Amino acid sequence: MSEFKVAVIPGDGIGPEITDGAVAVMKAAAAKFKLPLTYDSAPAAAAAVDQGLPPLPDHTLKLCQQSHAILCGPFGDPRWDNAPPAERPERAKLILRKTFDLFANLRPVKPVPALLDASPLRRELIEGVDFLIIRELVGGLYFAEPRGYGEDAKGRFGINTLRYHAWEVERIGKIAFEMARLRRRKVMSADKANALESMQLWRETMQKLHDQHFADIELKHIFVDNCAMQIVANPRQFDVIVAENMFGDILSDLGAELTGSLGMLPSASLGTGVPLFEPVHGSAPDIAGKGKANPLAMILTAGMMFTYGARRPDIGKAVDDAVEAALKKGYRTADIARKLPGEKLVSTKEMAEAVLASL
Ligand code: IPM
Ligand code: MN
């Protein structure tokens, strides 16, 4: 690849401040490894609406289409809290996922050793945890039709549909098994086959795919409610978890919190089009603009972009290592500070600078 082109969408709330840090780290990492990298920024979501533009402006979409990867901040703004889903600015993210057919969302849960004491779980439970949630991202309850509002004899209603075709389950299952092959060869498929036909089909399809092509991988099926319980009770047992869109959304917030803060987890969305990289957390409007936000999830997201977008895991690892080094030196944003000796409470910008210095 002669030149790696990145479309940067800072997003809403804390998005711009954490993106500043992530972009600085991205540039420094590319320079260090002599990867020619260019980038351009464009608005989306509430940031676009505030400029009189639609949530996903044409020029932003065009920039994404002409790039090799999208580095995307969090979307969402409380001013639209009561608006229907179709009018909310964060819809732009769902449109991006759908437009580029980004069906596989990779959300790693791997606590940084320096932060073990920031986890709400006891050290003996959290130590050594390392799993990967693979969330189906363009189907299921978020996208299947019919959806919307209606009215019948019993009054107004809202409707969404949980439908999966076997091919959709097969393609996300394939990613899960392939990722497991690079790890500890265990896949846990979280479903709700005891209550839902769509999930019965999910289970059968996963099993068939396994038996035909991935018999070397251990496959277990687990009901998603039990999975949530197990993530808290015994998180070390997991290697790869694969789940339906909304189940994966919920499990990944749970997983993220195990690491001590939602502000620590990156994600990669892969599929047939331009891959998108975004932190798992939201736009945290309550602390926006105050320099308090933790930029590490966004910085680690840039790391995932190198690994999966530029196929340069060496650069991705350098970013991860720099984050870990900054934490080892004691730097903490408020969300991960525990008032322990040796900790230095820092702002968003200072944290990003500490990572840069370690790089
Ligand atoms: C996420 C977010 C989004 C989702 C929202 C902002 C639409 O929660 O990326 O996990 O539900 O997918
Ligand atoms: Mn979510």
Side-chain angles (χ1 to χ4, degrees), residues 208-346:
K208 219 191 262 164
L209 180 68
H210 168 269
D211 298 349
Q212 286 176 353
H213 301 287
F214 298 96
D216 56 313
I217 308 289
E218 177 191 306
L219 170 67
K220 282 189 188 161
H221 306 280
I222 186 170
F223 297 136
V224 64
D225 48 347
N226 183 25
C227 184
M229 188 266 270
Q230 296 286 335
I231 284 178
V232 177
N234 178 13
R236 238 186 334 261
Q237 69 182 296
F238 295 105
D239 181 20
V240 171
I241 300 175
V242 59
E244 188 272 334
N245 202 338
M246 183 149 112
F247 295 167
D249 180 44
I250 297 170
L251 292 179
S252 59
D253 264 38
L254 185 59
E257 185 58 23
L258 293 192
T259 65
S261 167
L262 205 47
M264 291 298 303
L265 284 209
S267 88
S269 301
L270 314 175
T272 51
V274 184
L276 181 145
F277 302 86
E278 55 176 320
V280 171
H281 63 72
S283 55
D286 50 321
I287 57 165
K290 295 185 181 156
K292 279 191 189 171
N294 182 349
L296 294 181
M298 194 70 199
I299 290 173
L300 292 166
T301 294
M304 276 193 107
M305 185 187 75
F306 285 118
T307 299
Y308 293 100
R311 294 183 195 282
R312 288 295 302 267
D314 53 332
I315 312 183
K317 181 165 187 309
V319 172
D320 291 359
D321 290 348
V323 166
E324 185 154 358
L327 290 166
K328 260 206 190 111
K329 287 179 199 154
Y331 296 104
R332 299 282 187 275
T333 43
D335 57 317
I336 50 176
R338 288 295 175 274
K339 296 199 174 95
L340 299 173
E343 285 188 356
K344 302 182 213 35
L345 186 65
V346 291

Side-chain angles (χ1 to χ4, degrees), residues 114-191:
L115 282 186
L116 284 182
D117 291 311
S119 171
L121 291 191
R122 291 192 308 277
R123 185 177 260 271
E124 71 249 38
L125 286 178
I126 194 71
E127 230 162 13
V129 167
D130 177 3
F131 62 89
L132 176 65
I133 298 177
I134 300 185
R135 168 185 177 193
E136 200 293 323
L137 204 58
V138 294
L141 204 44
Y142 272 55
F143 286 101
E145 301 282 344
R147 63 177 299 161
Y149 301 98
E151 192 154 8
D152 61 15
K154 290 180 182 160
R156 235 169 84 72
F157 63 82
I159 174 169
N160 296 91
T161 303
L162 181 49
R163 170 189 284 120
Y164 272 108
H165 284 95
W167 64 268
E168 294 173 280
V169 183
E170 278 160 15
R171 69 175 184 173
I172 190 71
K174 187 163 174 279
I175 300 275
F177 290 124
E178 282 170 355
M179 287 289 159
R181 262 191 192 143
L182 304 173
R183 302 172 47 98
R184 303 192 304 280
R185 292 177 174 258
K186 292 200 309 188
V187 171
M188 199 76 105
S189 172
D191 63 38

Side-chain angles (χ1 to χ4, degrees), residues 79-140:
R79 285 174 290 164
W80 282 271
D81 267 354
N82 298 316
E87 287 165 28
R88 299 170 71 99
E90 60 259 49
R91 183 106 205 116
K93 191 157 276 178
L94 302 179
I95 298 171
L96 279 172
R97 292 171 180 171
K98 196 71 179 171
T99 303
F100 294 109
D101 193 25
L102 303 173
F103 63 86
N105 182 219
L106 276 42
R107 298 188 161 187
V109 177
K110 189 176 176 186
V112 202
L115 282 186
L116 284 182
D117 291 311
S119 171
L121 291 191
R122 291 192 308 277
R123 185 177 260 271
E124 71 249 38
L125 286 178
I126 194 71
E127 230 162 13
V129 167
D130 177 3
F131 62 89
L132 176 65
I133 298 177
I134 300 185
R135 168 185 177 193
E136 200 293 323
L137 204 58
V138 294

